[in-house]
Amino acid sequence: MTLLAGKRVLITGGSTGIGGATALEAARQGADVAINYLHSDAAAQEVVTAIEALGRKALALPGDVADPATARDFVAQAVEAFGGVDVFVSNAGICPFHAFLDMPVEVMERTFRVNLHGAYHMVQAAANQMVKQGGGGAIVAVSSISALVGGEFQTHYTPTKAGVHSLMQSAAIALGRHGIRCNSVMPGTILTEINRDDLADPEKRHRMEARIPLGRLGQPEDLAGPIVFLASDMAHYVTGASLLVDGGAFVNLQ
Ligand code: RM4
């Protein structure tokens, strides 16, 4: 299958986790891929090397999504390299678990600026480029099961994921006339760097696993297929939607 044949795909937070897995799957599905990343040059280069080994073009650009200039630069450099943007995956996010009552302002504000403001800057920059190009496009944002349910140590995080979900709904309305589809995925508990420390607690990990009908925590690769589907022409009449990818955790009350 080449669900993204000839497409030019941009992904934020693309050097590891869900973003990295999606970058590789997009390349397997025939796309050229540009990734934004913040920390590890080595990890980003590994993704680039793997994409090029699949015979596709790859580009890795560092930048903090919380800075509006990063969005403009990322899109502009990808357009210079690939000639345009067809798919944009807004994935970059953080979740520094912390209690509510003594939540430091800087922790709360950083989480909002990365997860919600960063998504807004990036989606807006990608949408403007897609409108300029004409021909439509697809935007997929990584929201979360946490848009729908809470977390004691995530009071700064869950509102940002609810915001990302809502951003896609409103962007779908604003961009429909341009043939640009906007959807979100809602991952459950997926083992990545974002929660490695949190799930290092055996009791917490067991408690999270016990809630999942499919019997295991998610892996980044579990998100790649749903994201590629929403990005592809198979979802040509899907916009403003959200897709839970959680092994059944959300519905499992008892
Ligand atoms: C997700 C969900 C998971 C957590 C990550 C950090 O939205 O809450 O359980 O491990 O965030």
Side-chain angles (χ1 to χ4, degrees):
M1 273 192 304
T2 52
L3 291 175
L4 298 178
K7 300 289 189 183
R8 300 153 301 185
V9 177
L10 275 58
I11 303 173
T12 65
S15 65
T16 62
I18 292 170
T22 302
L24 294 183
E25 187 58 36
R28 290 187 197 101
Q29 295 296 329
D32 294 333
V33 184
I35 61 170
N36 148 273
Y37 70 98
L38 183 59
H39 295 302
S40 172
D41 292 331
Q45 187 52 50
E46 282 181 25
V47 173
V48 166
T49 301
I51 291 169
E52 290 174 342
L54 291 164
R56 306 307 312 175
K57 291 178 191 171
L59 184 63
L61 297 165
D64 182 353
V65 298
D67 178 354
T70 298
R72 294 193 294 271
D73 294 345
F74 182 42
V75 171
Q77 291 183 58
V79 168
E80 186 178 344
F82 295 167
V85 182
D86 303 299
V87 174
F88 194 92
V89 180
S90 177
N91 162 72
I94 61 173
C95 182
F97 289 83
H98 199 290
F100 175 54
L101 292 176
D102 60 348
M103 173 73 70
V105 171
E106 62 273 13
V107 173
M108 183 273 282
E109 289 190 340
R110 176 66 181 166
T111 303
F112 269 74
R113 292 199 180 287
V114 170
N115 294 3
L116 185 54
H117 299 189
Y120 195 100
H121 300 321
M122 284 286 182
V123 167
Q124 186 187 46
N128 273 306
Q129 175 58 34
M130 290 174 177
V131 169
K132 182 179 172 185
Q133 289 169 190
I139 297 172
V140 184
V142 179
S143 173
S144 168
I145 186 173
S146 296
L148 309 174
V149 288
E152 179 183 356
F153 299 97
Q154 297 178 303
T155 55
H156 55 325
Y157 169 82
T158 60
T160 68
K161 289 304 184 177
V164 167
H165 165 60
S166 180
L167 170 62
M168 286 299 98
Q169 290 177 319
S170 293
I173 301 164
L175 299 174
R177 66 178 64 89
H178 300 291
I180 300 168
R181 299 181 297 105
C182 302
N183 296 288
S184 65
V185 290
M186 295 182 160
T189 304
I190 313 298
L191 272 170
T192 67
E193 288 306 313
I194 200 173
N195 54 22
R196 195 166 304 283
D197 292 344
D198 181 59
L199 294 174
D201 171 358
E203 189 279 326
K204 172 70 176 282
R205 179 168 180 145
H206 174 73
R207 184 153 42 89
M208 301 305 285
E209 286 173 340
R211 177 173 171 150
I212 302 171
L214 289 185
R216 66 172 176 86
L217 297 178
Q219 296 291 335
E221 293 71 21
D222 295 326
L223 272 293
I227 291 170
V228 165
F229 162 69
L230 288 171
S232 76
D233 293 337
M234 289 185 74
H236 59 264
Y237 197 60
V238 181
T239 195
S242 53
L243 180 57
L244 267 169
V245 187
D246 67 350
F250 174 70
V251 296
N252 187 12
L253 174 60
Q254 58 185 303

